[in-house]
Amino acid sequence: MTLYLLQIFNGIGVGMLYFLMAVGLSIIFGLLRFVNFAHGAFFMIGAYLAYAIVVSLGLDFWVSLILVPIVVFVFAIALERVLLRHAYRLSHMAQILLTFGLSMILQELAIVLWGTDALHMPTPQALSGIVEFGSFIYPTYRLFVIAFTAVLALILWWLLEGTRLGAIVRAGSEHGDMTSLLGHDIPKIFMLVFGLGVALAALAGVLAAPIRGVEPFMGLDGLSIAFVVVVIGGMGSFSGALVGGLLVGVLQSLLSSIWPEMARPVIYVCMAMVLLMRPYGLFGRG
């Protein structure tokens, strides 16, 4: 029983990281109707930048937790203004080709700078111990990831659902021209939304680095999981990204103990089942 409880907690932690990846991807597509196949590459960049700050520069993990999302946010905004903004009105196939090519460029750049070997990212010293709940023992850092991402999820929900900016963003996604006529700068809002979505992926990379290490192909792996989560939860749905991320994380974690060979394939089986029963996802709108 203790083993299964441990795996459930591990699944929640991993699932919340999946949520951070998926919610950014979902927001970008749901509001901008833009297919971003470079999303996983920003997850990888976040992990590598955290490694560079903590290991190469010798700074504190908390510095990387704050600095990396800001740096990636600025980079994403510059990239959106210079390149990606011109692809919004292109076909989804053109968007996929453009962003997939961009992801390959970023991946090869990471290989040039850091090589192909997996790099070890140490657990922050302040979070390196364990927490005891009676006979149940759990790593402090993993518990921190669960708590931190839960608080962040509440902040994101409030930002998107409870603020004027969130209302403008939702209105802009549905009636961009009308919202522009009311005096709102829709291109600027969409630029900020893109930057926020990418920064969340980079933040997930920072949090994931001490758990899984850092390597140049982690972006493709993260992208595939994020798309599965978004498809299961529903494109453009905050609740769908959260529920889908937790569902995939817990299911994978439990099966890694019960039936390891099926831990990865089962998530694609779940995605196929959801698509057959609800083509727009569990929380998606047709």
Side-chain angles (χ1 to χ4, degrees):
M1 183 61 70
T2 302
L3 174 62
Y4 294 138
L5 184 60
L6 177 66
Q7 292 298 82
I8 289 173
F9 267 82
N10 285 340
I12 292 173
V14 172
M16 292 302 287
L17 293 179
Y18 291 164
F19 158 71
L20 284 185
M21 280 283 293
V23 74
L25 187 66
S26 184
I27 289 172
I28 290 172
F29 181 83
L31 300 181
L32 281 67
R33 299 295 186 268
F34 181 70
V35 182
N36 182 21
F37 262 58
H39 201 71
F42 293 107
F43 171 70
M44 172 202 67
I45 288 175
Y48 269 115
L49 289 179
Y51 176 86
I53 289 172
V54 175
V55 177
S56 301
L57 299 180
L59 299 177
D60 198 78
F61 171 80
W62 307 106
V63 176
S64 69
L65 194 64
I66 297 172
L67 189 60
V68 169
I70 295 174
V71 171
V72 173
F73 177 81
V74 173
F75 174 67
I77 284 180
L79 187 65
E80 194 272 349
R81 295 196 64 161
V82 173
L83 177 64
L84 299 181
R85 174 173 297 184
H86 305 289
Y88 287 165
R89 297 187 180 276
L90 299 179
S91 67
H92 288 329
M93 181 58 68
Q95 294 172 358
I96 290 172
L97 291 174
L98 174 64
T99 55
F100 184 76
L102 176 61
S103 72
M104 291 296 99
I105 293 173
L106 295 175
Q107 179 179 290
E108 291 303 314
L109 181 61
I111 291 174
V112 170
L113 294 175
W114 288 285
T116 58
D117 294 336
L119 304 175
H120 172 67
M121 173 82 169
T123 302
Q125 187 173 0
L127 302 172
S128 60
I130 58 173
V131 177
E132 297 184 27
F133 301 98
S135 61
F136 180 69
I137 300 174
Y138 198 70
T140 304
Y141 179 74
R142 287 180 177 265
L143 198 61
F144 161 76
V145 170
I146 295 174
F148 180 80
T149 49
V151 172
L152 187 59
L154 288 174
I155 294 173
L156 286 172
W157 176 84
W158 171 79
L159 179 65
L160 293 174
E161 300 292 337
T163 66
R164 186 169 179 268
L165 175 62
I168 294 172
V169 168
R170 295 196 306 274
S173 67
E174 297 176 5
H175 305 285
D177 294 337
M178 184 179 296
T179 311
S180 298
L181 291 174
L182 293 176
H184 302 299
D185 188 347
I186 297 304
K188 183 177 181 180
I189 291 173
F190 280 10
M191 176 186 68
L192 294 175
V193 169
F194 181 82
L196 173 63
V198 167
L200 289 173
L203 180 59
V206 175
L207 294 169
I211 297 175
R212 59 156 295 164
V214 185
E215 45 91 11
F217 307 105
M218 63 188 294
L220 293 176
D221 183 60
L223 178 67
S224 65
I225 296 291
F227 265 106
V228 169
V229 171
V230 169
V231 170
I232 290 176
M235 282 287 186
S237 171
F238 177 89
S239 300
L242 180 60
V243 173
L246 290 174
L247 178 64
V248 170
V250 171
L251 193 59
Q252 266 194 317
S253 185
L254 285 174
L255 280 176
S256 66
S257 296
I258 301 171
W259 194 3
E261 294 81 5
M262 283 297 294
R264 187 60 179 261
V266 74
I267 67 173
Y268 299 104
V269 174
C270 289
M271 181 181 69
M273 291 174 61
V274 170
L275 285 175
L276 287 173
M277 294 183 292
R278 291 185 61 86
Y280 296 103
L282 296 177
F283 294 86
R285 298 184 299 272

